[in-house]
Amino acid sequence: MSVNAPLNRKLRMGLIGGGQGSFIGRVHATAGILDNRAELVAGALSSDPVKAKASAPDYDIPADRAYTSYQEMAEKEAKLPADKRIDFVSVATPNHTHFEISKCFAEAGFNVICDKPLTFDLKQAEELAAIVKKTGVVFGVSHNYTGYPLVRQAREMVRNGELGEINAIRAFYIQGWLRTKLEADSQKQAAWRTDPSKSGAAGCFGDIATHAYNLGRFITGLIPDQISCHLKSFVEGRALDDYGTAVIKFTNGALGTVTASQISHGRENEAWIEIDGTKGSLEWHQEEPNKMLYRVNGKPHQIYTRAGGPYLSALSSASSRLPSGHPEAFFEAFANIYSSVYDDIVKRATGKPFDGAASIYPNVMDGVDGMNFITQSVASSQQNGAWLSLKHPLCRS
Amino acid sequence: MSVNAPLNRKLRMGLIGGGQGSFIGRVHATAGILDNRAELVAGALSSDPVKAKASAPDYDIPADRAYTSYQEMAEKEAKLPADKRIDFVSVATPNHTHFEISKCFAEAGFNVICDKPLTFDLKQAEELAAIVKKTGVVFGVSHNYTGYPLVRQAREMVRNGELGEINAIRAFYIQGWLRTKLEADSQKQAAWRTDPSKSGAAGCFGDIATHAYNLGRFITGLIPDQISCHLKSFVEGRALDDYGTAVIKFTNGALGTVTASQISHGRENEAWIEIDGTKGSLEWHQEEPNKMLYRVNGKPHQIYTRAGGPYLSALSSASSRLPSGHPEAFFEAFANIYSSVYDDIVKRATGKPFDGAASIYPNVMDGVDGMNFITQSVASSQQNGAWLSLKHPLCRS
Amino acid sequence: MSVNAPLNRKLRMGLIGGGQGSFIGRVHATAGILDNRAELVAGALSSDPVKAKASAPDYDIPADRAYTSYQEMAEKEAKLPADKRIDFVSVATPNHTHFEISKCFAEAGFNVICDKPLTFDLKQAEELAAIVKKTGVVFGVSHNYTGYPLVRQAREMVRNGELGEINAIRAFYIQGWLRTKLEADSQKQAAWRTDPSKSGAAGCFGDIATHAYNLGRFITGLIPDQISCHLKSFVEGRALDDYGTAVIKFTNGALGTVTASQISHGRENEAWIEIDGTKGSLEWHQEEPNKMLYRVNGKPHQIYTRAGGPYLSALSSASSRLPSGHPEAFFEAFANIYSSVYDDIVKRATGKPFDGAASIYPNVMDGVDGMNFITQSVASSQQNGAWLSLKHPLCRS
Amino acid sequence: MSVNAPLNRKLRMGLIGGGQGSFIGRVHATAGILDNRAELVAGALSSDPVKAKASAPDYDIPADRAYTSYQEMAEKEAKLPADKRIDFVSVATPNHTHFEISKCFAEAGFNVICDKPLTFDLKQAEELAAIVKKTGVVFGVSHNYTGYPLVRQAREMVRNGELGEINAIRAFYIQGWLRTKLEADSQKQAAWRTDPSKSGAAGCFGDIATHAYNLGRFITGLIPDQISCHLKSFVEGRALDDYGTAVIKFTNGALGTVTASQISHGRENEAWIEIDGTKGSLEWHQEEPNKMLYRVNGKPHQIYTRAGGPYLSALSSASSRLPSGHPEAFFEAFANIYSSVYDDIVKRATGKPFDGAASIYPNVMDGVDGMNFITQSVASSQQNGAWLSLKHPLCRS
């Protein structure tokens, strides 16, 4: 069996973003090739043409496919012969550019993997969803935590009824790196994330609370009804929120909370989730992703481990590369998203049907969901926590 | 030096509640004598006179001081000679009786240690505060988590400025034991806690969220301004909340959250708190009380351990009985509250001044604080999370 | 039911040792009264008569029963009327005095709880075992870790076959407090423990490795066959070992290791044990005593928690005082040893039969076992790890 | 800067082993390309020619470079033009073939990364060391745990004197997967590892204890003097050890223990190490590789985290790809070994000097060290734990 049967070749990946000082661009590049199912062959690595060219050798991208803009790349790649041109593009740029780039490539018929949050605002997200539908391209969004084998396990446990009816979700994403005003020092990662013209309406809630929210949605499948949110900007002079907490009512009566921080000293990347059902509860922490707690009253607590045994679902087991106990981590989860997207890209390339709307990987509908969450969080906070609708017709249900 | 210098004798303890099937009565009895500073000599152990008598041998209380009611006890103890009568009474009964019992003993001049929440409703709490003030008795409330050596350490670190300005508090108390409708089986602990006529206006929020709230107040000293709360009763047919979450605005601009559950499968007694300051952050979990995390960006995380060394405050060190590494736990923390109350009882008994309003142990003002928190939580929840005032003139500030 | 039915009164406890600067004397006093089944009424608290008297008020021991020597105490207490005199004595003195004190009280008919290691050398231990047998007194040894509810659970799981045949035991006791030469500063705890004339033939291996060894024996019931040991004294000028490791062959073919250290920086009191059977494995850590791991290949790891549910044995459940999640710790485990000894003391006092040789609490046979372990460890180490017999006819089998 | 400046191209990797059912072959392939510094272009993936061919598409290796034997591969690759032929070969086959394959490629001038243990027996290892020296090829051995950023940090802390003089090392590798006789079911991984004709003289001690031993050597640099070892085969009918423990005397007087198991139920891949120095101690666990404990008496314990801040050494920081809190794991550590080897391969390819004998990656000397450890462990065990020399002139000192 080939790496991409029946296509029988590696996929060709293009990268937008990822120039010097970038964090997430390198992550996409690494995740994309981790399983040797793709190779990185082209890129527009920076909005600065000089830097775009200069960064190419870092990725071993040949000079003739190191483009000075995404527009150039879309145009020139489209003209390459079918056995040369990229199969998909990964968009790893600041938020405000996601829409135009994704739109450009999707309309040119290229598959897209876009970083989160999907766009600058909800309207763009809705428009992008329509474009994806119309063009029929494969479209993934890198809510990477859903790629962890035990997160996928959690989702299936909920679906199998092992938790019973879900009553409560507590989702968190606690960081500390923006405790000081790094943006004042032109630290690249901090600068755009705290700039409303680049990040969008939210800071902390756009960058990380969306992950926590998405995680709860992915695992439980509960449908959100209303949200009440309180955002704060604790670092003086910061334009966007760096802390916040939201309460969510789900349509089945469950209560959810999403809490996120960028100002908690020494907290590195503590995304975690706790889910309470009538039959059992789950707890999973991103910083120790190879285990998950499943608890039932009166019984020993159970630690599920990645690849731990036949008690795991087929999907969860297949999302692992190593025997249990050899830890897997962030890149592998990210690569699992890529791998699932690749499955659909191969289907599309070989003329087979695929249902992007029901994908295991986060798709454009989840991207819209995230943008709706951001939009309503900010609006509720501006109204001192007023309950606002969190329903959106384009999201999964 | 004697156990209670300069009084030079053990204190004499009376117990209200604690009859068969009781949980917290036994805890008070154990904590009260743990350091050999007191002996249990009298009790009215049940509201059922027969059971009250029958339970006395379990505590080695002599028959002639095993009273059939608290009223009888207060009356007869008051008539005993000074070198016989109890020094204080511990009130370990369901909430709706706290007020009348505490009032009765305080007005008879006895010192009181009352379980939490202080009373059935806020009005009673306010009245009790006035009585305590008028009578001058020593009055403690068993918010026992404040007795942990590392919680006291946390408080002093905040006061010393080691955390800087406090921006955020996240306090939790997650349990699972009321996941099923135990009250339908007449389980004693469940029955009164879920009965509005005995527990008061709140279930979960009265029983455990108050502890979490109190912990945040104790450690940070922040003054609450407003609260928005959402309570749920997930177990069908339950009259009181078994889940809830509240957002609190403090007067300094900090944001707090208090989340409590009694319906989270397999979660035993997970009270924990996370505190974010401009200079550092803290994290402490009641189930592993002998360690606390202190984090500062860019530095190794620090694990403070109970009795771990000279880096701890004098009070924290003095609140330990064992060298570090030999774990101390729930009883010892409870006993620390008792011990601090004893210090004031000895002062009062030997005619020395004491400032009950500034005590390290939770006092009647903290009891009022807790009742105000419960009252406003329930009211806010009934108004769909409306912001209500959380200021109260009788609380510490 | 009384605290000590059918005796129907508290037991009267005497204490040898525990004067100022003592650690373990206070622990015995606290554990002895924790459940209100006994009261401390007499003591010979120091070998220094002045200090012995001066320390009495710390324990609220009346002056007339604060003796200046254990001999005086044994003699005078024996002459007190039966309803006054102590029921038992706790021996909490340096090792070299255990034998003479225990012998004195046992021969006077008093029950004894002696600290570990049992005696100064093996010969004394053997002699003491004979005295206990002859006199018929109740005799406990404070290998306190066996009192933890989950350690008792472990023992019963092995006996029930839940682990299958035991193949391997790894027992550890890692501390750091003797990293520097504290004895040079006359630190009381360090001084006698590192003095061969007081501690006996071993330092670290006598003080703590014995606990680790005992824990393995208690849980598994395996019979030791041979030992090979290597002891080191890393702190310059120290007369006794402060580090060591031993390999033990058990008669069933299992392999055990015991490793102990007093020179591991910052390690507080890390006693832990790992046990491998053909059907399952166990892991328990003294610093987090309220949980234990039970693992079986291919299944989720199981966390057993103290008082966690009906899956626990009756003995384990009965060894708890609090609901699960409210942590219990060192004192409670110690008190469980006391409580089990009390059961036998009550039996003896009321003329009922008891089988001290089969007790759940560590008895004089376990004390001999420990002394034999120390003796052979030191001898093997002196012969560069030669295999020596670890069988002893007076130990449990 | 290119991925491999000044070579300015990806390295070309060949793989021996890795056919269907393989574990470690896929790991080498993944680690080799993780940083996009190399591409996998050729392979002899199985000793079965049919399987070797059939496995090639899984790695996207073109048919013309999917060889049916390593001999064919060495011969044909050597004849390819310099800009086509592989730069190095990774040897991921059972132990008994390591020598002949490595020898073949080294003598043909190819650089080699060989899995551990280096060879079938010590004699082969010594011979291979001579060949490497003579040919001047770059030669790495995949003791992959030394690639973890915090393990590298530990090594540098020892070298910087932050731990003082090292007194004790406790190294462990505990697994459970061979608890049952998997080899009887022809499970591929189990079959060769338990077959003396393929695995060599040791089972468990060759497969995993070598890692634990190597970890201690890598971090501390201590020179071993003597070893006493006890090996067991607990699974009936198994030809090689599946459990064992060794005591090691180092030349500076330090005492080490190495304990390894393949029969501990549910233990997945628990390699960990504890190191005691006169100034501080370290503890690191492979299953949670992103943190390490550094402890000093009387101070808060410190948790070092991967990429946690400027307190880490330059090498440790450079060995990370992600910000702290985004976990890295097994593949990344493996890739760090690759990356360090690549640095030397690039140097050799561009005519620059490199000192393979002083490499940060495990080299052929470390491979000899491991084989010597295995040889002397087995010999000592066969002599009931006799002390044997563990010095070897070809190892690092």
Side-chain angles (χ1 to χ4, degrees), chain A residues 230-252:
Chain A
H230 304 284
L231 303 178
K232 298 284 289 186
S233 183
F234 282 117
V235 172
E236 205 180 315
R238 180 163 289 159
L240 291 174
D241 55 289
D242 50 25
Y243 192 89
T245 190
V247 182
I248 296 171
K249 295 179 183 171
F250 290 93
T251 56
N252 77 333

CSV table of all heavy atoms in Angstrom, one decimal, chain A residues 230-252:
chain,number,residue,atom,x,y,z
A,230,HIS,N,-17.4,37.7,29.7
A,230,HIS,CA,-16.7,38.9,30.3
A,230,HIS,C,-15.3,38.8,29.9
A,230,HIS,O,-14.6,37.9,30.2
A,230,HIS,CB,-16.9,38.8,31.8
A,230,HIS,CG,-18.3,38.7,32.2
A,230,HIS,ND1,-19.1,39.8,32.2
A,230,HIS,CD2,-19.1,37.7,32.5
A,230,HIS,CE1,-20.4,39.4,32.5
A,230,HIS,NE2,-20.4,38.1,32.7
A,231,LEU,N,-14.8,39.8,29.2
A,231,LEU,CA,-13.5,39.9,28.8
A,231,LEU,C,-12.7,41.1,29.5
A,231,LEU,O,-13.4,42.1,29.8
A,231,LEU,CB,-13.4,40.1,27.2
A,231,LEU,CG,-14.1,39.1,26.4
A,231,LEU,CD1,-14.0,39.5,24.9
A,231,LEU,CD2,-13.5,37.7,26.6
A,232,LYS,N,-11.5,40.9,29.7
A,232,LYS,CA,-10.7,41.9,30.4
A,232,LYS,C,-9.4,42.1,29.6
A,232,LYS,O,-8.9,41.1,29.0
A,232,LYS,CB,-10.3,41.4,31.8
A,232,LYS,CG,-11.5,41.2,32.7
A,232,LYS,CD,-12.1,42.5,33.2
A,232,LYS,CE,-11.2,43.2,34.2
A,232,LYS,NZ,-11.9,44.4,34.8
A,233,SER,N,-8.8,43.3,29.8
A,233,SER,CA,-7.5,43.5,29.3
A,233,SER,C,-6.7,44.0,30.5
A,233,SER,O,-6.8,45.2,30.9
A,233,SER,CB,-7.6,44.6,28.2
A,233,SER,OG,-6.3,44.8,27.6
A,234,PHE,N,-5.9,43.1,31.0
A,234,PHE,CA,-5.2,43.4,32.3
A,234,PHE,C,-3.9,44.2,32.1
A,234,PHE,O,-3.4,44.9,32.9
A,234,PHE,CB,-5.0,42.2,33.1
A,234,PHE,CG,-6.2,41.7,33.8
A,234,PHE,CD1,-6.8,40.5,33.6
A,234,PHE,CD2,-6.8,42.5,34.8
A,234,PHE,CE1,-7.9,40.1,34.3
A,234,PHE,CE2,-8.0,42.1,35.5
A,234,PHE,CZ,-8.5,40.9,35.2
A,235,VAL,N,-3.3,43.9,30.9
A,235,VAL,CA,-2.0,44.6,30.7
A,235,VAL,C,-2.3,46.0,30.2
A,235,VAL,O,-3.0,46.2,29.2
A,235,VAL,CB,-1.1,43.8,29.7
A,235,VAL,CG1,0.1,44.6,29.4
A,235,VAL,CG2,-0.7,42.5,30.4
A,236,GLU,N,-1.8,47.0,30.9
A,236,GLU,CA,-2.1,48.4,30.6
A,236,GLU,C,-1.8,48.7,29.2
A,236,GLU,O,-0.7,48.4,28.7
A,236,GLU,CB,-1.4,49.3,31.6
A,236,GLU,CG,-2.1,50.6,31.8
A,236,GLU,CD,-1.3,51.5,32.7
A,236,GLU,OE1,-0.9,50.9,33.8
A,236,GLU,OE2,-1.1,52.7,32.4
A,237,GLY,N,-2.7,49.4,28.5
A,237,GLY,CA,-2.4,49.8,27.2
A,237,GLY,C,-2.7,48.8,26.1
A,237,GLY,O,-2.5,49.1,24.9
A,238,ARG,N,-3.1,47.6,26.5
A,238,ARG,CA,-3.4,46.6,25.5
A,238,ARG,C,-4.7,46.8,24.9
A,238,ARG,O,-5.7,47.1,25.6
A,238,ARG,CB,-3.3,45.2,26.1
A,238,ARG,CG,-3.5,44.1,25.2
A,238,ARG,CD,-3.0,42.8,25.7
A,238,ARG,NE,-1.6,42.7,25.7
A,238,ARG,CZ,-0.9,41.9,26.5
A,238,ARG,NH1,-1.5,41.0,27.3
A,238,ARG,NH2,0.5,41.9,26.4
A,239,ALA,N,-4.8,46.7,23.6
A,239,ALA,CA,-6.0,47.0,22.9
A,239,ALA,C,-7.1,45.9,22.9
A,239,ALA,O,-8.3,46.1,22.8
A,239,ALA,CB,-5.7,47.4,21.4
A,240,LEU,N,-6.6,44.6,23.1
A,240,LEU,CA,-7.5,43.5,23.1
A,240,LEU,C,-7.5,42.8,24.4
A,240,LEU,O,-6.6,42.9,25.2
A,240,LEU,CB,-7.1,42.6,21.9
A,240,LEU,CG,-7.4,43.1,20.5
A,240,LEU,CD1,-6.8,42.1,19.5
A,240,LEU,CD2,-8.9,43.3,20.2
A,241,ASP,N,-8.5,41.9,24.6
A,241,ASP,CA,-8.6,41.2,25.8
A,241,ASP,C,-7.5,40.2,25.9
A,241,ASP,O,-7.0,39.6,25.0
A,241,ASP,CB,-9.9,40.3,25.8
A,241,ASP,CG,-10.0,39.5,24.5
A,241,ASP,OD1,-10.3,40.0,23.4
A,241,ASP,OD2,-9.9,38.2,24.7
A,242,ASP,N,-7.0,40.1,27.2
A,242,ASP,CA,-6.0,39.1,27.5
A,242,ASP,C,-6.5,38.1,28.6
A,242,ASP,O,-5.7,37.3,29.1
A,242,ASP,CB,-4.7,39.7,27.9
A,242,ASP,CG,-4.8,40.8,29.0
A,242,ASP,OD1,-5.8,40.7,29.7
A,242,ASP,OD2,-3.9,41.7,29.0
A,243,TYR,N,-7.7,38.2,28.9
A,243,TYR,CA,-8.3,37.3,29.9
A,243,TYR,C,-9.8,37.3,29.7
A,243,TYR,O,-10.4,38.3,29.3
A,243,TYR,CB,-8.1,37.8,31.3
A,243,TYR,CG,-8.4,36.8,32.4
A,243,TYR,CD1,-7.5,35.8,32.8
A,243,TYR,CD2,-9.7,36.7,33.0
A,243,TYR,CE1,-7.8,34.9,33.8
A,243,TYR,CE2,-10.0,35.8,33.9
A,243,TYR,CZ,-9.1,34.9,34.3
A,243,TYR,OH,-9.4,33.9,35.3
A,244,GLY,N,-10.5,36.2,29.9
A,244,GLY,CA,-11.9,36.2,29.8
A,244,GLY,C,-12.6,34.9,30.3
A,244,GLY,O,-11.9,33.9,30.4
A,245,THR,N,-13.9,35.0,30.5
A,245,THR,CA,-14.6,33.8,30.9
A,245,THR,C,-16.0,33.9,30.3
A,245,THR,O,-16.6,35.0,30.3
A,245,THR,CB,-14.6,33.6,32.4
A,245,THR,OG1,-15.1,32.3,32.7
A,245,THR,CG2,-15.5,34.7,33.1
A,246,ALA,N,-16.5,32.8,29.8
A,246,ALA,CA,-17.8,32.8,29.2
A,246,ALA,C,-18.6,31.6,29.8
A,246,ALA,O,-18.1,30.6,30.1
A,246,ALA,CB,-17.7,32.6,27.7
A,247,VAL,N,-19.9,31.9,29.9
A,247,VAL,CA,-20.9,30.8,30.3
A,247,VAL,C,-21.7,30.5,29.1
A,247,VAL,O,-22.2,31.5,28.4
A,247,VAL,CB,-21.7,31.2,31.5
A,247,VAL,CG1,-22.7,30.1,31.9
A,247,VAL,CG2,-20.9,31.7,32.6
A,248,ILE,N,-21.9,29.3,28.8
A,248,ILE,CA,-22.7,28.9,27.6
A,248,ILE,C,-23.8,28.0,28.0
A,248,ILE,O,-23.6,27.0,28.7
A,248,ILE,CB,-21.7,28.2,26.6
A,248,ILE,CG1,-20.7,29.1,26.1
A,248,ILE,CG2,-22.6,27.6,25.4
A,248,ILE,CD1,-19.6,28.5,25.2
A,249,LYS,N,-25.0,28.3,27.5
A,249,LYS,CA,-26.1,27.4,27.7
A,249,LYS,C,-26.3,26.5,26.4
A,249,LYS,O,-26.3,27.1,25.3
A,249,LYS,CB,-27.4,28.1,27.9
A,249,LYS,CG,-27.5,28.9,29.2
A,249,LYS,CD,-28.8,29.7,29.4
A,249,LYS,CE,-28.8,30.5,30.6
A,249,LYS,NZ,-30.0,31.4,30.7
A,250,PHE,N,-26.3,25.2,26.5
A,250,PHE,CA,-26.5,24.4,25.4
A,250,PHE,C,-28.0,24.0,25.2
A,250,PHE,O,-28.7,24.1,26.2
A,250,PHE,CB,-25.6,23.1,25.5
A,250,PHE,CG,-24.2,23.4,25.3
A,250,PHE,CD1,-23.4,23.7,26.5
A,250,PHE,CD2,-23.6,23.5,24.1
A,250,PHE,CE1,-22.0,23.9,26.3
A,250,PHE,CE2,-22.2,23.8,24.0
A,250,PHE,CZ,-21.4,24.0,25.1
A,251,THR,N,-28.4,23.6,24.1
A,251,THR,CA,-29.8,23.4,23.8
A,251,THR,C,-30.4,22.3,24.6
A,251,THR,O,-31.5,22.2,24.9
A,251,THR,CB,-30.0,23.2,22.3
A,251,THR,OG1,-29.2,22.0,21.9
A,251,THR,CG2,-29.7,24.4,21.5
A,252,ASN,N,-29.5,21.3,25.0
A,252,ASN,CA,-30.0,20.2,25.8
A,252,ASN,C,-30.1,20.5,27.3
A,252,ASN,O,-30.3,19.6,28.1
A,252,ASN,CB,-29.1,19.0,25.6
A,252,ASN,CG,-27.8,19.1,26.4
A,252,ASN,OD1,-27.3,20.2,26.6
A,252,ASN,ND2,-27.3,17.9,26.7
